[in-house]
């Protein structure tokens, strides 16, 4: 069967992979005119009425009794919407009715695999007005309104429902006068992208006014998915020259319950929703002139338009609200816009009220990503401003919501999302956690990378934070091997946090990364149980942390001592603790560093516990005095100095390794072991320097009675040690140990030993046994320049021991020792006999061929005689043939029992005391000018002693006295003694008076 419209056939439709092509010329006249959907409805109903009327007329003329079509095919083309449809298995059975001009029939057709069934009836009233009624079930409404199920559209209505049509036509003209439609949408689905939502409705009564293209919907029940409402309204079909067929819409809905798929049913529906707008189906546009939703005192108002084209979806919307609950805002927020921000809001804001909200969307057509597309958000396409009160936010899905105090703000600028709040409180079983200045910023500008930044301030106690962590991530604390019981900690924490999270991208395989920065403080930090054996309280700590590491610094009382504390580390390393404090040296004993015997004053120390149980210690000795007398090491307060070591403590024993002591020119490096009860146990200094250029090692090992001390090196400056023992200003008068109470066995081998006055001893080899001031054994050899040397040996005697010192350059030795620099030459020996029971040493020094040069003190005495003055003026040198001194050395003094000097021009005698404990001289003597001639009178028989006096004196002599400090003596002479010969001179002598001896 071929259906013609007038005399012209519509062009054929060619269907291929390239789409639908309508070939041939378009019909002329009204056939090519673009019509509104209302006009097409009128046109089709008129054609239906005319067709049925012709069947009735033909049957009345007896041409046939009824019209029957079986297994027909109807092809339809829609040039407006560019659609082609084929109805198959078409059946039609129409026969005249019993009344005048009436007809009844039934029909069926299959479209897209769905078969619809229907019945129709035509009647005429007494005025000749025709009435056409039809009932259709399982009808696909898109067969009548193609735009309802456009496959390329974002939104579509798909499925089948039921339709009843009742249209009255004007007599004569046959034009539709009015109509009534009953529509049942139950069985259809609303498609949004790829999601389907079933539609159910009551029978919807629609009154049609063909003349003004108005369709009036009576109040009906409608449910789409889980959302439901009662709806009424008016639809007006029109035609726009630009947009083609249009549909004007005015709807009123009540009891509107909106339930998106990701939300539960609302507690209370919107009271009313009023919508006025338009639709241009051919263009794919929907306009919203006004949409107003009202519930109690809340209002949501929307304007804008939506374009749904094959090129994509476009959106221009402005949504404003006030006093809207967070729950209602989630329900009206378009899920197609700002999905990330909406998803966050839905998941993490369980309660609150939006005081004001303004949402603006301006997405040009094709810029919204659909069907999994990832498209960047265009510039200035989205702006959201919300301010809410009474809001609660869930920081994580597992946490309870945090009640926000004051205002909460949500701001969206395109792909950037910012959520901020004044503050909130999270309650735990150990106290509240206060959150302030909270903010969340989400950046989705790059489709392949989503960045979230979280910031805020937290004010809470340590127990509350520990309780929250145990509640949310108990396994995280269980995995931490902390040296402290977290439940024993107390303190108030104030912290600011900024966290940047790059979310994982499954498409690119990019994992999630987290960058964070924490900065804050802890006040009143304390632990109820010791930490690493130490009691800690009154702590004030600043800290910072990031994904790369963390550090803490502050002060606390450790075992009652104020100390600086610092901790730093990384997620992959053990924490590094550091302690520092300025303390009096004696207070260090509480931490196991008792060095009060050697150090005084204040020291700033820093200690760092290490994973192996040792402690790295650094001490600033600037404000401390250091005195190791037996090594002649000393440092005054104010002189910069440092001490570094690695400390390992085991009970009373403290082992110091990597010891590095440095101040001035002194530098010691090595190891020590110290017992808090027994004292120093051992020492090994692989670097031992008292002056620049020193290169020596010192090893100390314990023995049954004391220590073995071994000294080796290429060079060692002995000036400090020699001055300690022998200098006139501070020397002890001999070798002795005061800080080491044990017996010291010294084994010394030095290539060069530096002394005072730029003297050097070469190949020094010494073996000494010393206890206090008791030098029990001595064996020493050394060489000097010009083949000079010294040797010392000791031998036992029944009363004690004898020490013999042999030398051939006494001047060099005295300069090396720093005792006297004006002596030149001198060969001889020193014999020192020690009587153990008497605790005294008797000595005799014999020396020959020596001279005193450039000695100002000697001139004070000799300058009183003109012959002596002549000798001094001639060469400032006094030569002596021999000298002999006999003395007794005790712990506090040296008694000179007899001293004689003899030379060609000068001679003399001396007696008295040198008080080593008081560092004072008390010597008297006689100076004899022209000693060779003068002393001859002493040898004359009988009258020699009378004229020459004592041995070593002569006819003419001048008595003198030396008193005062050893390093600055005073010399006195008696000129009258020169006028009295021999024995009579004793009348004018000075007298030395022995002071009481110190207790032995």
């Amino acid at each position: 069967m071929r259906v013609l419209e007038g005399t012209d056939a519509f062009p054929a439709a060619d269907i291929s992979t390239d789409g639908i092509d309508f070939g041939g010329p378009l019909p002329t006249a009204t056939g090519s005119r673009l019509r509104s959907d209302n006009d097409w409805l009128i046109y089709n109903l008129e054609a239906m009425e005319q067709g049925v009327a012709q069947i009735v007329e033909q049957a009345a003329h007896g041409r046939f009794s009824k019209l029957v079509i079986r297994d027909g095919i109807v092809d339809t083309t829609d040039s407006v919407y560019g659609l082609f449809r084929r109805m198959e298995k078409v059946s039609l059975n129409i026969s005249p009715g019993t009344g005048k001009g009436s007809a009844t029939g039934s029909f069926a057709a299959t479209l897209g695999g769905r078969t619809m069934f229907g019945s129709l009836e035509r009647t005429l009233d007494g005025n000749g007005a025709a009435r056409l009624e039809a009932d259709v079930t399982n009808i696909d409404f898109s067969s009548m309104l193609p735009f309802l199920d456009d496959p390329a559209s974002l939104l579509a209505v798909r499925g089948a429902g039921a339709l009843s049509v009742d249209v009255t036509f004007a007599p004569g003209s046959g034009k539709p006068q009015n109509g009534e439609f009953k529509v049942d949408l139950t069985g259809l689905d609303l498609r949004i992208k790829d999601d389907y939502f079933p539609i159910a409705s009551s029978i919807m009564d629609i009154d049609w006014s063909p003349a003004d293209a108005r369709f009036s919907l009576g109040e009906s029940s409608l449910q789409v998915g889980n959302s439901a409402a009662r709806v009424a309204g008016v639809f007006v079909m029109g035609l726009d020259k630009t947009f083609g067929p249009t549909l004007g819409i005015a709807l009123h809905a009540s009891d509107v319950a909106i339930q998106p798929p990701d939300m539960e049913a609302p507690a209370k529906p919107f009271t009313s929703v009023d919508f006025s707008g338009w639709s241009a189906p051919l263009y794919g546009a929907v306009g919203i002139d006004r949409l107003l939703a009202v519930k109690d005192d809340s209002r949501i108002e929307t304007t804008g338009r939506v374009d749904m084209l094959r090129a994509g979806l476009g959106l221009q919307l402005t949504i404003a609200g006030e006093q809207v609950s967070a729950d209602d805002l989630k329900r009206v927020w378009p899920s197609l816009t700002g999905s990330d921000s909406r998803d966050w809001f839905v998941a993490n804001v369980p309660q609150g009220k939006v005081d004001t909200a303004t949402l603006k969307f301006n997405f040009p057509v094709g810029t919204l990503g659909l069907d999994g597309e990832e498209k960047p958000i265009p510039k200035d396409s989205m702006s959201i401003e919300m301010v809410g009160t009474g809001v609660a936010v869930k920081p994580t899905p597992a946490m309870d919501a945090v009640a926000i105090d004051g205002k909460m703000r949500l701001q969206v600028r395109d792909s950037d999302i910012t959520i901020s709040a004044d503050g909130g409180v999270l309650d735990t079983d150990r106290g509240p956690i206060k959150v302030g200045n909270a903010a969340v910023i989400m950046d989705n500008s790059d489709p392949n990378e989503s960045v979230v930044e979280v910031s805020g301030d937290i004010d809470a106690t340590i127990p509350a934070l520990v309780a929250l962590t145990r509640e949310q991530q108990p396994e995280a604390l269980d995995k931490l091997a902390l040296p402290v019981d977290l439940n024993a900690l107390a303190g108030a924490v104030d912290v600011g946090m900024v966290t940047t999270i790059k979310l994982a991208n499954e498409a690119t395989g990019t994992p999630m990364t987290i960058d964070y920065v924490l900065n804050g403080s802890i006040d009143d930090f304390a632990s109820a149980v010791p930490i690493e054996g130490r009691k800690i309280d009154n702590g004030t700590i600043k800290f910072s942390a990031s994904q790369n590491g963390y550090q803490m610094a502050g002060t606390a009382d450790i075992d009652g001592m104020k100390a600086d504390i610092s901790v730093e580390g990384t997620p992959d390393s053990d924490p590094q603790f550091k302690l520092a404090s300025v303390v009096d040296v004696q207070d260090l004993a509480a931490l196991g560093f008792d060095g009060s015997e050697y150090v005084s004053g204040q020291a700033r120390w820093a200690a760092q516990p290490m994973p192996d149980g040792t402690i790295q210690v650094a001490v600033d000795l600037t404000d401390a005095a250091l005195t190791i007398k037996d090594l002649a090491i000393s440092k005054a307060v104010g002189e910069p100095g440092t001490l570094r070591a690695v400390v390992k403590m085991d009970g009373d024993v403290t082992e110091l390794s990597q010891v590095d002591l440095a101040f001035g020119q002194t530098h010691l490096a090595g190891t020590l072991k110290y017992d808090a009860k027994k004292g120093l146990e051992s020492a090994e200094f692989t670097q031992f320097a008292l002056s620049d250029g020193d290169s020596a090692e010192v090893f100390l090992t314990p023995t049954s009675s004391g220590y073995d001390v071994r000294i080796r090196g290429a060079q060692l400056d002995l000036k400090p040690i020699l001055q300690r023992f022998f200098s006139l200003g501070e020397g002890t008068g001999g070798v002795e140990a005061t800080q080491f109470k044990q017996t010291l066995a010294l084994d010394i081998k030095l290539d060069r030993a530096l002394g005072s006055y730029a003297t050097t001893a070469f190949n020094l080899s010494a073996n000494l046994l010393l206890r206090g001031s008791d030098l029990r054994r001595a064996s020493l050899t050394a060489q000097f320049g010009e083949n000079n040397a010294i040797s010392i040996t000791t031998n036992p005697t029944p009363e004690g021991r004898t020490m013999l010192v042999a030398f051939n350059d006494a001047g060099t030795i005295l300069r090396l020792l720093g005792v006297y620099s004006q002596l030149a030459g001198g060969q001889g020996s020193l014999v020192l006999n020690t009587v153990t029971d008497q605790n005294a040493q008797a000595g005799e020094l014999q020396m020959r061929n020596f001279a005193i040069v450039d000695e100002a003190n000697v001139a004070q005495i000799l300058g009183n005689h003109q012959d002596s003055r002549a000798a001094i003026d001639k060469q400032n040198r006094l030569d002596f043939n021999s000298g002999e001194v006999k003395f007794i050395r005790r712990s506090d003094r040296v008694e000179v029992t007899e001293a004689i000097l003899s030379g060609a021009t000068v001679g003399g005698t001396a007696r008295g005391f040198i008080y080593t404990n008081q560092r004072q001289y008390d010597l008297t003597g006689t100076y004899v000018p022209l000693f060779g001639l003068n002393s001859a009178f002493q040898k004359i028989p009988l009258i020699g002693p009378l004229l020459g006096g004592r041995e070593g004196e002569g006819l003419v002599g001048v008595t003198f006295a030396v008193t005062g400090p050893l390093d600055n003596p005073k010399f006195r002479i008696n000129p009258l003694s020169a006028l009295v010969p021999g024995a009579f001179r004793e009348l004018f002598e000075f007298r030395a008076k022995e002071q009481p001896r110190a207790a032995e």
Side-chain angles (χ1 to χ4, degrees):
M1 181 172 62
R2 191 175 186 204
V3 178
L4 300 179
E5 180 183 351
T7 59
D8 298 322
F10 202 82
D14 180 20
I15 302 175
S16 68
T17 57
D18 295 329
I20 300 177
D21 180 25
F22 297 98
L26 289 172
T28 58
T30 60
S32 63
R33 182 169 59 87
L34 190 64
R35 298 168 176 168
S36 72
D37 290 329
N38 185 69
D39 289 345
W40 276 111
L41 181 60
I42 293 174
Y43 183 84
N44 287 322
L45 288 174
E46 285 179 349
M48 182 182 296
E49 157 60 17
Q50 293 174 11
V52 173
Q54 290 179 5
I55 293 174
V56 172
E57 181 182 354
Q58 294 296 329
H61 290 159
R63 295 186 178 98
F64 57 82
S65 61
K66 61 181 178 181
L67 175 64
V68 178
I69 300 175
R70 296 186 183 92
D71 295 325
I73 297 176
V74 178
D75 291 335
T76 63
T77 58
D78 190 330
S79 60
V80 176
Y81 291 101
L83 299 176
F84 173 83
R85 284 186 172 84
R86 166 170 286 188
M87 288 188 288
E88 300 174 323
K89 298 180 181 181
V90 177
S91 64
L92 177 65
N93 189 331
I94 300 178
S95 59
T98 57
K100 179 181 178 182
S102 64
T104 60
S106 63
F107 60 88
T110 300
L111 176 63
R114 178 180 290 110
T115 300
M116 59 179 147
F117 303 90
S119 63
L120 60 88
E121 181 180 5
R122 179 181 185 267
T123 59
L124 290 176
D125 63 12
N127 297 321
R131 180 181 181 185
L132 190 63
E133 297 175 87
D135 293 313
V136 186
T137 61
N138 204 33
I139 182 174
D140 184 350
F141 288 98
S142 64
S143 63
M144 300 175 57
L145 301 172
F147 62 85
L148 289 179
D149 190 13
D150 184 353
S153 175
L154 177 68
L155 302 175
V157 176
R158 178 169 294 179
L163 172 66
S164 294
V165 180
D166 185 355
V167 180
T168 301
F169 298 88
S173 66
K175 297 292 183 182
Q177 287 184 319
N178 56 67
E180 181 180 344
F181 299 91
K182 293 184 182 295
V183 180
D184 186 357
L185 301 180
T186 303
L188 279 72
D189 290 319
L190 173 66
R191 178 180 62 82
I192 302 178
K193 295 177 63 176
D194 296 327
D195 298 323
Y196 289 82
F197 302 93
I199 299 175
S201 71
S202 62
I203 303 300
M204 307 177 77
D205 294 322
I206 302 175
D207 293 331
W208 177 39
S209 175
D212 51 12
R214 179 185 298 273
F215 297 79
S216 299
L217 171 65
E219 187 175 82
S220 306
S221 297
L222 177 65
Q223 181 171 339
V224 180
N226 294 321
S227 299
R230 297 191 62 80
V231 183
V234 175
F235 302 87
V236 178
M237 293 181 176
L239 181 67
D240 185 272
K241 293 182 179 180
T242 302
F243 296 102
T246 61
L247 181 66
I249 306 169
L251 289 175
H252 172 77
S254 60
D255 296 331
V256 181
I258 302 175
Q259 184 180 350
D262 55 353
M263 297 183 67
E264 299 293 332
K268 183 179 180 181
F270 282 95
T271 305
S272 64
V273 175
D274 291 287
F275 173 85
S276 61
W278 52 268
S279 172
L282 179 61
Y283 186 77
V286 176
I288 304 172
D289 295 331
R290 187 189 189 203
L291 189 153
L292 176 62
V294 177
K295 179 198 287 189
D296 299 329
D297 59 349
S298 65
R299 295 169 59 89
I300 300 175
E301 190 167 354
T302 303
T303 61
R305 63 180 288 170
V306 180
D307 296 287
M308 293 173 286
L309 308 180
R310 293 185 178 180
L313 178 68
L315 197 66
Q316 290 181 339
L317 286 179
T318 297
I319 303 173
E322 59 183 19
Q323 301 303 313
V324 181
S325 70
D327 182 76
D328 288 338
L329 183 61
K330 298 174 190 177
R331 299 176 187 280
V332 300
W333 191 328
S335 60
L336 295 177
T337 61
S339 58
D340 291 329
S341 52
R342 179 192 178 276
D343 291 346
W344 183 92
F345 194 88
V346 170
N348 297 289
V349 183
Q351 69 182 51
K353 177 172 285 189
V354 177
D355 296 335
T356 60
T358 302
L359 293 79
K360 296 181 179 180
F361 306 99
N362 184 18
F363 287 87
V365 172
T367 59
L368 276 172
L370 303 175
D371 298 326
E373 291 181 295
E374 294 288 349
K375 291 184 178 181
I377 297 179
K379 181 176 176 58
D380 299 327
S381 62
M382 184 163 56
S383 173
I384 299 175
E385 296 278 355
M386 294 186 192
V387 178
T389 56
V391 178
V393 178
K394 297 180 67 174
T396 68
M399 289 181 62
D400 294 334
V402 178
I404 302 299
D405 296 331
K407 303 290 186 180
M408 178 178 175
R409 297 166 180 83
L410 171 65
Q411 182 183 75
V412 180
R413 293 290 184 272
D414 298 334
S415 58
D416 295 334
I417 304 170
T418 302
I419 300 125
S420 60
D422 294 341
V425 177
L426 177 64
D427 291 323
T428 72
D429 58 4
R430 297 295 300 277
I433 298 175
K434 297 180 181 178
V435 180
N437 302 316
V440 177
I441 300 174
M442 290 181 271
D443 182 359
N444 300 294
S445 57
D446 185 348
N448 296 319
E449 182 179 77
S450 295
V451 180
V452 179
E453 181 178 292
V454 181
S455 62
D457 300 330
I458 297 175
D459 183 1
T461 63
I462 293 178
L465 294 174
V466 172
L468 177 63
T469 305
R470 289 198 183 281
E471 176 185 333
Q472 299 300 319
Q473 292 184 322
E475 68 283 353
L477 293 180
D478 295 338
K479 293 178 181 179
L480 294 177
L482 298 176
V484 61
D485 180 3
L486 293 178
N487 294 322
L489 299 182
V493 179
D494 186 358
V495 59
M497 174 191 70
V498 177
T499 301
T500 301
I501 304 171
K502 292 184 179 179
L503 301 179
N505 188 322
E506 295 182 0
T508 62
T510 303
M512 181 177 69
T513 61
I514 300 177
D515 296 342
Y516 63 90
V517 175
L518 297 174
N519 291 287
S521 64
I522 304 175
D523 293 326
D524 299 325
F525 176 76
S527 176
V529 299
I531 300 177
E532 297 292 324
R534 305 294 179 189
K535 177 177 173 57
I536 299 179
D537 54 15
N538 296 327
T540 300
I541 300 172
K542 303 287 186 182
F543 63 87
S544 63
S546 70
Q547 71 281 356
N548 297 321
Y550 55 89
Q551 56 185 356
M552 303 172 62
T555 62
D557 291 348
I558 301 179
D559 290 339
M561 181 177 62
K562 200 74 171 179
D564 297 331
I565 301 175
S566 68
V567 182
E568 61 182 30
T570 68
D572 301 323
S573 65
D574 293 326
Q576 297 183 1
F577 294 90
K578 294 182 180 179
L579 305 176
S581 181
V582 177
V583 297
D584 289 332
V585 172
Q586 60 266 25
D587 294 337
L588 288 176
L591 295 178
F593 309 112
D594 186 5
S596 56
E597 185 176 1
Y598 307 98
V599 188
S600 61
Q602 287 189 329
R604 180 173 183 84
W605 61 272
Q608 179 180 349
M610 305 302 293
D612 60 359
T614 61
I615 303 175
Q616 290 186 353
V617 178
V619 184
D620 183 354
L621 299 172
T622 301
D623 295 326
L626 175 65
T627 303
I628 306 178
K629 294 180 180 179
D630 296 335
L631 296 179
I633 296 175
S634 64
K635 187 197 82 68
V637 173
E639 180 182 1
T642 59
L643 171 63
R644 300 180 184 275
V646 175
V647 181
K648 181 178 181 181
M649 292 184 289
D650 184 7
D652 292 333
V653 177
T654 301
E655 182 177 348
L656 283 73
S657 60
Q658 302 180 37
V659 175
D660 192 302
L661 173 65
F663 61 87
Q665 297 182 1
T666 301
H667 188 191
L668 278 66
T671 62
L672 287 171
K673 183 177 288 187
Y674 186 84
D675 190 302
K677 296 179 180 179
K678 301 177 182 178
L680 185 64
E681 287 193 348
S682 64
E684 180 177 319
F685 292 102
T686 55
Q687 184 174 356
F688 189 91
L690 302 179
S691 299
D692 292 339
D694 282 359
S695 176
E697 298 177 326
V698 176
F699 305 92
L700 185 149
T701 56
T703 63
S704 59
S705 59
Y707 298 96
D708 282 339
V709 181
R710 184 163 58 94
I711 301 176
R712 297 289 187 272
Q715 177 175 304
L716 182 61
D717 188 352
L718 295 181
K719 286 194 296 293
I721 297 177
L722 296 175
Q723 290 173 1
R724 154 92 169 102
F725 296 142
F726 299 107
S727 75
L728 296 179
E730 59 185 71
T732 61
V735 178
E736 68 176 19
T738 57
Q739 290 175 312
F740 288 93
K741 308 303 181 183
Q742 303 90 338
T743 300
L744 300 180
L746 291 92
D747 179 9
I748 306 172
K749 284 184 170 38
L750 296 171
D751 296 341
R752 297 179 301 278
L754 306 184
S756 300
Y757 302 106
T759 55
T760 302
F762 299 95
N763 302 319
L764 174 66
S765 175
N767 193 312
L768 309 176
L769 185 64
L770 178 67
R771 184 179 181 89
S773 61
D774 185 9
L775 185 59
R776 299 179 177 180
R777 183 182 69 239
S779 175
L780 181 146
T781 60
Q783 290 83 44
F784 304 100
E786 300 179 359
N787 296 321
N788 295 320
I790 184 175
S791 67
I792 302 174
T793 59
T794 56
N795 295 295
T797 64
E799 295 82 10
R801 58 187 171 276
T802 297
M803 181 172 66
L804 175 62
V805 181
F807 51 87
N808 57 6
D809 188 349
T812 298
I813 295 173
L814 293 179
R815 286 190 295 276
L816 178 78
L817 299 178
V819 174
Y820 189 63
S821 62
Q822 271 66 45
L823 184 69
Q827 302 94 31
S829 64
L830 170 65
V831 177
L832 193 63
N833 294 306
T834 300
V835 180
T836 305
D837 294 341
Q838 298 179 5
N839 197 21
Q841 296 171 317
E844 182 176 344
L845 170 66
Q846 293 187 352
M847 191 167 57
R848 57 190 179 278
N849 301 324
F850 59 94
I852 298 176
V853 297
D854 298 325
E855 176 55 82
N857 289 328
V858 174
Q860 293 183 42
I861 302 174
L862 275 59
N864 290 279
H865 191 279
Q866 89 177 41
D867 293 331
S868 298
R869 284 198 300 273
I872 294 173
D873 292 340
K874 183 177 182 180
Q875 54 184 341
N876 198 18
R877 173 187 176 100
L878 296 177
D879 291 293
F880 297 94
N881 297 325
S882 64
E884 181 179 346
V885 179
K886 295 180 181 179
F887 60 89
I888 298 174
R889 181 175 181 270
R890 303 183 186 278
S891 62
D892 61 342
R893 69 194 64 197
V894 176
E895 180 183 358
V896 179
T897 58
E898 184 177 9
I900 300 175
L901 293 175
S902 62
T905 58
V906 179
T909 62
R911 292 161 301 280
F913 299 89
I914 302 174
Y915 295 102
T916 55
N917 62 337
Q918 301 178 20
R919 322 202 67 73
Q920 295 284 325
Y921 281 117
D922 188 6
L923 295 175
T924 62
T926 301
Y927 156 61
V928 182
L930 299 175
F931 183 78
L933 175 61
N934 238 322
S935 62
F937 290 97
Q938 205 272 341
K939 297 181 176 63
I940 298 175
L942 298 178
I943 64 171
L946 181 62
L947 297 176
R950 290 182 293 264
E951 183 177 358
E953 299 180 1
L955 178 64
V956 179
V958 179
T959 61
F960 65 89
V962 180
T963 59
L966 299 183
D967 56 351
N968 186 26
K970 295 181 180 179
F971 295 86
R972 294 180 293 162
I973 63 169
N974 189 344
L976 295 178
S977 62
L979 305 178
V980 182
F984 300 101
R985 198 162 40 245
E986 295 186 33
L987 299 174
F988 299 93
E989 282 185 345
F990 295 99
R991 296 287 189 269
K993 183 178 180 181
E994 183 177 5
Q995 297 181 9
R997 297 179 185 176
E1000 299 293 346

